[in-house]
Amino acid sequence: MERSKNAKDAQLEQYRVNNYGKKLTTNQGLKVSDDENSLKAGVRGPTLLEDFHFREKMTHFDHERIPERVVHARGFAAHGEFELHKSMKAFTKAKFLQNPGSKTPVFIRFSTVVGSKGSADTVRDVRGFAIKFYTEEGNFDLVGNNIPVFFIQDAIKFPDVVHAIKPEPHNEIPQASSAHDTFWDFVANNQETAHMIMWLMSDRAIPRSFRMMQGFGVHTFRFVSEEGIAKFIKFHIKPVLGVHSLVWDEAQKIAGKDPDFHRRDLWENIEHGNVVEYEIGVQMINEEDEFMFDFDILDATKIWPEEIVPVQMFGKITLNQNVENVFAETEQVAFHLGNVVPGIDFTNDPLLQGRLFSYLDTQLLRLGGPNFTEIPINRPVCPFHNNQRDGFSRQRIDVGKVAYHKNSLANNTPSTSTWKEGGYVHYAEKVEGRVIQARSDSFKDHFSQARLFWNSMTPPEKEHIRDAFIFEVGKVKSADVRQQVVDMFVNVDKELATVIADAVGVNRPEGQQVNVSAASPALSQEKTPRYPNTLKVGVLIGSEFNGREVKAVVRTLLNNGVAVDIVGEHLGSLTGADGMKVVLNETFLTTSPVLYDSLYVVGGKAKNQAKFESDIMEYINEAYRHFKPIGIASTGEDIFRKSDAKTGPGIVVASASRADFPEAFIQAVTQQRFWDRNIYSE
């Protein structure tokens, strides 16, 4: 597909190198005559130290890996642009938010938090949603997650929660999982985690794709206008395709079938030119209203319910270009919450304050020193000038002898800028109080919003949360920790805690849930938009199919933006009863039912009919148990009847008199899940 054109892409173009058709050289440009054999003293003799090409090649290889991120190690990214739809001039001085229609290059890195770089995509985890805006005033980094709250309230506890959730140090088990003793021990003994745990046990922690995943800035920031008037804000990023998730059994199986499921999905959709879009906006609170809520707006373990503080959407982000080199871009990109532009400022959120230190400190270690900002993916698109010099891997060649401020030899340049000239001036917030290590009493309610989240879930979502708790806490070996968890979450919901207690073999809790009856419908994924675009259907087919019927269905799927795989016994072509040919691009072995949003069961004939039908029945049974829609062609009914699946919600059966089958099937595919299906019926 054609490359998008913007200021960041033009800047990166000068660093791109195409090696195709070129002569092999050393890093110094010397042409190489032999890249197969090291220099030896005789054909069977020792290798000589003077073989500079061998030494350069091997030294580079030895140093190719940089330390992976402590958290968010497994990530995938893409380029795109942000287009402003609504001017925010009344609220912020930020230039990229002034003029509707203006476009700003962006780079977004999605990631899991807990696992190593080689872990699977579909584990139960928080997802990073980090956006770098390459604005004309410098880079603005919005380093968020797909969950709007966090485990802790103060950054001093960040090392503790990470140490607790990471593999246990005595045996380095389990990988990319929170289902173990140390994490749940931390939860039970740090009850500020309650709200975040409810989100982590929900479907939000196993997204269907990055393209169907919501993003949040998590922290409370400030917009500051040209006149110096500030408002408290929270950033929201909403996927145009809606917020959708996997089911837990499906997520675990995908981790084995295709551990790159999420990154492959994003890569392929961008390569195919499919729209990957998110709307972005903010919630805003006037400074004088800071204390009017029953929660502290600076507490990172709290949301601002959208029914109380609506989200004002102001623009759209479109991802339209894959990276050219994952290491050079995705791995070397360095995000930092301190990368802001005039008109965006910080608050006293104690978690945000600590992150402002941590991110910069981390990049200095990972990327080898203070010049990581000169790596192409990290460079701003606007000019930058300062008196910093030297350091590892310096790429700029700053001319002149002056490297300090103030000076007369260079006419006191580079010079500072006023607020009116675009200089960054910190918001003049009034601060007073004693120096103290303590936490505000307004941060001490840990269960009201956890209860609000529970109240906001639909029955299927509540069932998934219960099952997640039972799985996670059931993996904890310490009965004492399991009991502590149950006794903690009785504060959220007594029935929930009782069910967990019975399932994990501890005493039922004696406490009571907090007295909160409010709900926030915006928290439920069941209220999200649904579209067929970019969903994926597996067509299960053998020879002697009804060509006319299959052609009509596949054409309808493709016309509605649905991706189609033709799956059978072998790769190559098949011929229908009417002479129509189809080309199979997957086999029952090379793919899996968990990799599809829906199945279209065509059936037909095969050399080994019994195995063919057994394979199809396995696909049907799996999709049925995961509440997915299944379309049954006239030639597939016999196989469907032999499966464990039953007709009912989400099962669309073709017949000679049903001309609307393609449209009915598309409607079912769009719905995605049919939670009212009784998968345990006889």
Side-chain angles (χ1 to χ4, degrees):
M1 59 179 294
E2 185 178 349
R3 185 186 304 285
S4 63
K5 304 295 183 184
N6 58 42
K8 186 62 184 178
D9 188 64
Q11 183 194 62
L12 289 175
E13 186 61 32
Q14 64 183 309
Y15 297 99
R16 295 187 180 115
V17 176
N18 187 343
N19 294 307
Y20 183 78
K22 303 298 193 295
K23 292 290 189 180
L24 182 68
T25 74
T26 68
N27 287 334
Q28 304 299 324
L30 180 70
K31 288 182 179 178
V32 174
S33 61
D34 188 339
D35 193 40
E36 305 300 319
N37 305 287
S38 57
L39 189 65
K40 304 180 185 71
V43 293
R44 299 183 69 250
T47 299
L48 301 180
L49 188 62
E50 68 185 75
D51 189 347
F52 56 83
H53 172 54
F54 165 77
R55 285 187 287 117
E56 179 191 88
K57 183 177 179 180
M58 186 57 71
T59 299
H60 191 282
F61 172 76
D62 291 343
H63 295 263
E64 279 180 0
R65 294 295 175 263
I66 63 175
E68 68 177 34
R69 291 164 169 87
V70 176
V71 287
H72 299 278
R74 183 167 180 82
F76 205 65
H79 294 273
E81 63 183 16
F82 161 71
E83 181 174 359
L84 184 66
H85 291 168
K86 175 186 175 184
S87 175
M88 301 303 285
K89 182 179 178 66
F91 313 111
T92 177
K93 186 180 184 289
K95 280 190 178 180
F96 79 108
L97 298 178
Q98 303 297 299
N99 302 312
S102 63
K103 295 181 179 180
T104 302
V106 299
F107 187 70
I108 301 185
R109 186 179 188 272
F110 305 99
S111 56
T112 54
V113 171
V114 178
S116 67
K117 186 180 171 184
S119 57
D121 280 348
T122 59
V123 296
R124 179 178 294 281
D125 198 356
V126 185
R127 298 304 191 284
F129 201 123
I131 312 173
K132 189 178 287 289
F133 296 81
Y134 300 99
T135 86
E136 61 181 291
E137 297 181 288
N139 292 345
F140 166 52
D141 290 356
L142 181 56
V143 195
N145 288 334
N146 74 320
I147 290 175
V149 293
F150 202 63
F151 295 99
I152 53 173
Q153 296 171 327
D154 192 303
I156 199 171
K157 295 183 68 64
F158 189 74
D160 299 317
V161 66
V162 173
H163 290 163
I165 202 170
K166 281 285 188 177
E168 296 182 2
H170 68 295
N171 60 9
E172 193 64 13
I173 297 174
Q175 173 61 239
S177 174
S178 54
H180 58 97
D181 286 54
T182 58
F183 175 68
W184 286 97
D185 181 49
F186 178 86
V187 168
N189 288 278
N190 296 269
Q191 297 194 348
E192 66 202 75
T193 59
H195 190 193
M196 181 67 166
I197 295 302
M198 297 302 294
W199 285 80
L200 183 61
M201 295 300 103
S202 79
D203 294 340
R204 298 278 186 152
I206 44 175
R208 161 61 179 81
S209 72
F210 297 139
R211 302 175 298 108
M212 302 172 189
M213 187 175 82
Q214 199 165 355
F216 303 89
V218 180
H219 299 292
T220 301
F221 293 89
R222 276 189 175 92
F223 269 168
V224 184
S225 70
E226 182 73 53
E227 296 74 28
I229 299 172
K231 288 183 180 290
F232 295 108
I233 62 166
K234 275 186 180 285
F235 286 99
H236 289 249
I237 306 100
K238 300 191 177 188
V240 170
L241 291 176
V243 184
H244 304 286
S245 294
L246 303 169
V247 296
W248 179 228
D249 179 67
E250 179 186 26
Q252 293 180 88
K253 289 173 178 174
I254 291 174
K257 297 288 186 179
D258 184 5
D260 303 308
F261 182 73
H262 284 153
R263 55 176 57 192
R264 190 186 310 280
D265 173 275
L266 182 64
W267 174 273
E268 290 182 348
N269 274 278
I270 292 177
E271 286 296 295
H272 295 158
N274 293 329
V275 173
V276 181
E277 291 181 328
Y278 307 85
E279 293 182 326
I280 181 169
V282 288
Q283 293 174 292
M284 289 194 287
I285 292 176
N286 295 330
E287 284 211 312
E288 60 269 22
D289 296 332
E290 179 178 359
F291 301 107
M292 68 174 291
F293 304 96
D294 59 1
F295 52 87
D296 195 314
I297 68 170
L298 302 185
D299 182 351
T301 68
K302 304 295 189 296
I303 61 167
W304 304 352
E306 292 184 36
E307 293 78 13
I308 300 173
V309 186
V311 179
Q312 301 183 41
M313 310 309 291
F314 57 71
K316 182 174 285 185
I317 292 173
T318 302
L319 296 181
N320 51 25
Q321 181 185 320
N322 281 314
V323 300
E324 299 281 358
N325 184 289
V326 172
F327 177 81
E329 298 169 81
T330 307
E331 276 304 294
Q332 290 196 126
V333 68
F335 294 96
H336 176 32
L337 282 85
N339 292 344
V340 291
V341 294
I344 300 176
D345 210 328
F346 314 113
T347 65
N348 294 332
D349 171 351
L351 183 59
L352 169 61
Q353 292 285 317
R355 289 180 76 194
L356 288 171
F357 167 80
S358 177
Y359 280 67
L360 178 59
D361 190 46
T362 295
Q363 309 305 347
L364 292 172
L365 171 66
R366 285 193 65 247
L367 299 174
N371 293 317
F372 66 85
T373 56
E374 296 183 33
I375 296 171
I377 193 63
N378 295 320
R379 285 175 177 251
V381 296
C382 61
F384 56 102
H385 306 281
N386 55 52
N387 290 313
Q388 303 301 328
R389 301 287 188 270
D390 306 341
F392 284 108
S393 303
R394 185 70 170 179
Q395 298 170 48
R396 287 165 61 100
I397 302 175
D398 296 275
V399 300
K401 61 182 179 181
V402 174
Y404 50 90
H405 186 86
K406 297 177 178 180
N407 64 71
S408 62
L409 293 177
N411 199 26
N412 206 27
T413 59
S415 57
T416 59
S417 301
T418 65
W419 171 258
K420 291 293 184 182
E421 293 172 324
Y424 191 89
V425 177
H426 291 271
Y427 180 66
E429 179 185 12
K430 182 180 180 182
V431 178
E432 60 182 21
R434 297 182 182 276
V435 175
I436 188 173
Q437 284 187 293
R439 200 169 300 184
S440 171
D441 287 344
S442 58
F443 278 46
K444 291 182 179 178
D445 177 7
H446 302 320
F447 298 109
S448 292
Q449 287 209 348
R451 174 73 181 170
L452 172 75
F453 182 81
W454 177 254
N455 291 344
S456 306
M457 298 295 100
T458 59
E461 289 172 311
K462 287 184 175 181
E463 182 180 350
H464 298 164
I465 292 171
R466 281 193 292 266
D467 289 347
F469 266 106
I470 292 169
F471 174 87
E472 295 263 327
V473 182
K475 291 284 188 179
V476 173
K477 304 304 181 186
S478 167
D480 182 58
V481 171
R482 297 199 301 271
Q483 186 69 60
Q484 290 180 62
V485 172
V486 166
D487 292 342
M488 172 180 171
F489 281 92
V490 72
N491 293 283
V492 177
D493 186 80
K494 186 159 189 173
E495 181 183 357
L496 169 65
T498 301
V499 169
I500 299 170
D502 291 346
V504 302
V506 298
N507 297 327
R508 290 185 171 188
E510 297 180 356
Q512 296 296 325
Q513 65 204 32
V514 293
N515 184 24
V516 174
S517 58
S520 173
L523 302 182
S524 171
Q525 288 186 206
E526 290 302 295
K527 309 297 190 291
T528 197
R530 289 177 171 81
Y531 303 98
N533 311 55
T534 74
L535 297 178
K536 200 168 189 177
V537 172
V539 178
L540 313 182
I541 194 168
S543 61
E544 298 185 32
F545 56 88
N546 184 325
R548 195 162 117 191
E549 181 181 4
V550 171
K551 183 177 180 180
V553 173
V554 171
R555 178 185 294 156
T556 301
L557 291 170
L558 294 175
N559 288 343
N560 282 272
V562 177
V564 173
D565 275 350
I566 310 298
V567 185
E569 275 191 312
H570 56 77
L571 300 178
S573 63
L574 285 177
T575 304
D578 51 3
M580 177 182 166
K581 289 186 180 295
V582 298
V583 177
L584 295 95
N585 65 308
E586 293 284 1
T587 71
F588 296 118
L589 284 175
T590 60
T591 188
S592 168
V594 294
L595 304 180
Y596 296 106
D597 298 290
S598 177
L599 299 178
Y600 176 41
V601 181
V602 177
K605 301 298 181 181
K607 290 181 180 179
N608 186 337
Q609 189 68 21
K611 184 177 186 309
F612 173 71
E613 293 188 3
S614 175
D615 287 338
I616 290 182
M617 284 189 285
E618 181 181 337
Y619 271 63
I620 292 172
N621 294 339
E622 190 86 65
Y624 184 78
R625 286 194 300 270
H626 294 154
F627 306 94
K628 294 177 181 179
I630 304 173
I632 312 297
S634 59
T635 49
E637 288 188 61
D638 287 344
I639 300 176
F640 178 77
R641 279 196 291 268
K642 296 175 186 177
S643 73
D644 297 335
K646 303 290 184 285
T647 56
I651 307 299
V652 186
V653 182
S655 65
S657 59
R658 185 164 194 179
D660 70 335
F661 175 83
E663 291 72 24
F665 184 40
I666 275 292
Q667 290 179 8
V669 171
T670 302
Q671 180 64 27
Q672 300 186 40
R673 306 279 182 177
F674 290 83
W675 303 121
D676 51 348
R677 177 184 298 165
N678 185 359
I679 63 174
Y680 304 111
S681 63
E682 294 293 332

